[in-house]
Amino acid sequence: MDRAIRLAREAVEAGDGPAGCVLVDRGQVVGEARNRVFSTQDPTAHAELLAIRAAAARLGRTDLSGLTLYTTLEPCPMCCGALFAAKISTLVLGARYSHFRTRELGTYSVEELGSMTGRSVEIISGIREAECRELRYEALQRSVRQSRKASGGNPVRGWLRQWERWWTPTGPGNARPDRAESGRALTLDSGAGSADPSLPAFVSRPEGAPVYHGFPVVAGSEVDGWSYGSITAFDTLEPQTEGDGFVIAPDGRRAGIAWATDTGEFYEILPPDPERWGVYGVRFPMPVQSRQDLITCFHEVLPQLKRRHAELFGSRPAGPGDPGGT
């Protein structure tokens, strides 16, 4: 698994998916590969598939019975099908799709696909899981930074950079009305729900408005004790298809939101930490051009956020040191 993790790190550094795979036959490595989807522009260039091809070529056979496949991430359905076709005996994996709460593959697991197709493989999971999960988070962060760079610095695409810059404890009040990327003070309109579109984010607030590190809750977003705060300015001439903000639960716990109209349904970007109960990607049903658009979209994705909050905390009240409770 150590070798697979090194390959996965190479893939991340090259801009590919965070997966590495090693095939072992009686203690000897007979095939290994990393994800090369983006570097080769080949959607099938997954680590497992490439490693299986390499092992079959080296051994001169398609029946890989008795071999053990080590992989940092749970094989996707395509790679799992290849694993079954090659009759690989043992699968050792690091992180599962369920660990990331991604919806891109529904409720998929290797076991489910095996049950559907009448195939089986011995599975050993959770090996070096924390390192494998961290590699996926790192790959997501790199992807966002590259998107921002490719966009020419559009502040709407810069959610991760804004988070790194702004979302740090600042003491009582957490307001930073005098700091912005442009060096100018940022101000709100009287409705606390829109901002000058030439500025990158909300920072100051009307007196008494709720805040999270200087960013105010959008007026009118409150429902059942839940509310949304926007970091990205959204009153613009053109509809926006992505942005970022945060959600505050009725118990006061906070989580980060990165939204887009063309992303997965709901997935974890960063795990819970003392600052927030995670950062989540959500899909908004329409572009945002006004405060009302933003409120409508927030209410649309709120059930998913409620479910995740319930999974983490149930009905337990927030306490000192809780994720998102500080």
Side-chain angles (χ1 to χ4, degrees), residues 187-210:
T187 58
L188 296 166
D189 71 359
S190 58
S194 63
D196 182 340
S198 67
L199 301 178
F202 293 133
V203 180
S204 64
R205 64 188 176 105
E207 187 170 349

Side-chain angles (χ1 to χ4, degrees), residues 1 21-31 51-52 55 59 64-71 83 87-93 121-124:
M1 184 58 82
C21 179
V22 176
L23 267 166
V24 176
D25 181 19
R26 289 170 292 184
Q28 297 294 315
V29 174
V30 294
I52 289 171
L59 297 174
L64 302 184
S65 300
L67 271 64
T68 298
L69 185 150
Y70 295 81
T71 183
L83 183 150
K87 301 178 182 177
I88 290 169
S89 300
T90 306
L91 170 64
V92 180
L93 57 89
V121 62
E122 180 186 0
I123 299 175
I124 303 170

